[in-house]
Amino acid sequence: MEIKKNISKMLSERQATILRRKYRLFCQKLHKPMSEDTFRQVLTQRLGMKKGDTIFIHSSMDYLNVKFSVFEILPILMDIVGEEGTLLFPAWHFGYRAEDYLQDENSVFDVKRSKTVMGLLSELARRHPDAQRSAHPTTSIVALGKHAAEIVSDHEKSIYPCGKLSPYYKMLRYDAKIIGLGVNSNFLSFVHCPEDVMPEVFPLQTRTDRTFFGKVKLPDGTLITVETLAAHENIRERNGPAFLKKHVSENIFTPHRLHGSEFFVTDANRLFDRIIELAREKITIYNS
């Protein structure tokens, strides 16, 4: 672990990203790709997905070691949770700092047409004819299933992107799980929900003092302006994996490495409560 830290310090962010990609692809080559049946077993037996579940999904199809078409994954997920279930996906549409995006007067988020940069699976969900998408200019969420419309509604009314009106918080009502497919906890965006819901608890400021106004084009063509905060520079340096490994038990957050791919599953309510508990002790992902 110490060697890994020292190597990371020697590399630029781009070099580290390239090295991680090569390592993940190398790991895949050492393992037999998953069949559809095996993949379903991972989802149901290891990640605990079942009928009626509400599931928030982070993913990378590039790092998912399967021998069937990745275009089959969304139908598989929908089949497992069934008509009573709901699937959620991150779907923001730019890959740089929210503050920079919001300061660009020409930026307009088109709820219906703006493609997501959050991976192929999220984009396929966005394109699904039954998809519902929240209208927040920086932290849009796509949802499919029974509770999709309710969970994504009113997100644009939340000055806190992951606050009480956001899908992140609303999904807690349905005892949501959060899973990672081909990704590790670096992709776990839910950690910002407790920060936005209870900012007074956190030992450092995580949102800007300045309020921004993002332009959003709704599906009916109406153009609205959404008031929002952006990420504070305090949160640039963080280590989610170290925080989770050190302070969150595996019965709350469970990582897996299977068939050369990384997975994780966490209970959203229990993780929310644990993050708040740790914040009261001045322990966060920013000082772990």
Side-chain angles (χ1 to χ4, degrees):
M1 185 61 70
E2 196 62 36
I3 294 175
K4 184 178 179 180
K5 288 182 180 179
N6 291 334
I7 292 175
S8 297
K9 290 178 182 179
M10 296 168 59
L11 300 175
S12 68
E13 184 175 345
R14 182 174 180 277
Q15 289 172 326
T17 300
I18 292 172
L19 185 61
R20 284 194 295 268
R21 177 179 175 82
K22 288 182 176 180
Y23 174 72
R24 289 175 179 175
L25 294 176
F26 172 74
C27 288
Q28 287 185 17
K29 291 179 180 179
L30 296 178
H31 295 82
K32 183 179 179 181
M34 287 176 281
S35 65
E36 181 177 329
D37 286 343
T38 300
F39 182 63
R40 283 178 176 268
Q41 290 175 7
V42 170
L43 295 176
T44 56
Q45 298 177 18
R46 295 299 190 100
L47 304 185
M49 289 183 64
K50 62 183 186 302
K51 295 290 184 185
D53 270 350
T54 295
I55 309 284
F56 190 101
I57 301 166
H58 290 286
S59 63
S60 172
M61 298 297 94
D62 287 342
Y63 299 134
L64 201 57
N65 190 20
V66 296
K67 64 180 180 181
F68 58 93
S69 171
V70 293
F71 292 96
E72 297 300 318
I73 290 176
L74 182 59
I76 291 170
L77 295 166
M78 294 177 69
D79 178 60
I80 290 175
V81 300
E83 293 183 359
E84 296 297 305
T86 306
L87 301 176
L88 305 166
F89 304 84
W92 37 99
H93 60 293
F94 58 93
Y96 50 96
R97 293 179 66 242
E99 187 171 351
D100 294 336
Y101 169 81
L102 292 165
Q103 290 184 108
D104 183 352
E105 295 182 357
N106 296 317
S107 295
V108 178
F109 167 47
D110 189 326
V111 175
K112 187 175 182 179
R113 300 190 182 279
S114 291
K115 297 179 180 179
T116 175
V117 299
M118 302 306 293
L120 176 60
L121 186 59
S122 290
E123 177 62 13
L124 292 174
R126 182 193 73 83
R127 296 184 184 189
H128 193 282
D130 297 327
Q132 303 285 332
R133 191 179 193 181
S134 69
H136 195 279
T138 66
T139 319
S140 178
I141 302 296
V142 160
L144 290 165
K146 182 175 181 179
H147 304 296
E150 186 276 326
I151 291 176
V152 303
S153 67
D154 295 332
H155 194 184
E156 70 277 11
K157 298 177 182 178
S158 176
I159 193 169
Y160 284 95
C162 304
K164 289 185 177 180
L165 292 177
S166 75
Y168 283 102
Y169 189 69
K170 286 185 177 182
M171 69 182 182
L172 298 179
R173 303 174 191 172
Y174 302 102
D175 296 321
K177 298 183 184 78
I178 306 168
I179 68 172
L181 305 177
V183 297
N184 61 24
S185 58
N186 276 315
F187 293 78
L188 183 63
S189 57
F190 179 80
V191 294
H192 302 301
C193 179
E195 298 169 6
D196 280 359
V197 172
M198 300 183 70
E200 71 281 357
V201 171
F202 279 78
L204 80 167
Q205 184 178 351
T206 62
R207 294 293 178 187
T208 54
D209 291 315
R210 177 183 174 184
T211 300
F212 296 88
F213 298 90
K215 298 175 185 176
V216 177
K217 185 178 180 181
L218 300 178
D220 65 3
T222 303
L223 190 66
I224 64 172
T225 300
V226 173
E227 189 174 0
T228 185
L229 302 176
H232 194 279
E233 61 182 9
N234 286 341
I235 74 168
R236 287 187 180 183
E237 297 295 328
R238 56 186 181 268
N239 193 332
F243 168 80
L244 291 164
K245 184 175 182 179
K246 185 175 181 180
H247 301 292
V248 178
S249 65
E250 284 202 3
N251 64 355
I252 296 177
F253 179 90
T254 309
H256 296 281
R257 184 179 288 276
L258 303 164
H259 299 272
S261 297
E262 292 185 280
F263 299 86
F264 68 77
V265 59
T266 185
D267 179 295
N269 277 284
R270 295 179 69 194
L271 181 61
F272 183 98
D273 291 343
R274 181 57 177 157
I275 291 174
I276 293 296
E277 180 183 13
L278 290 166
R280 295 186 191 280
E281 300 172 14
K282 303 190 183 306
I283 300 170
T284 72
I285 64 171
Y286 311 110
N287 60 11
S288 294

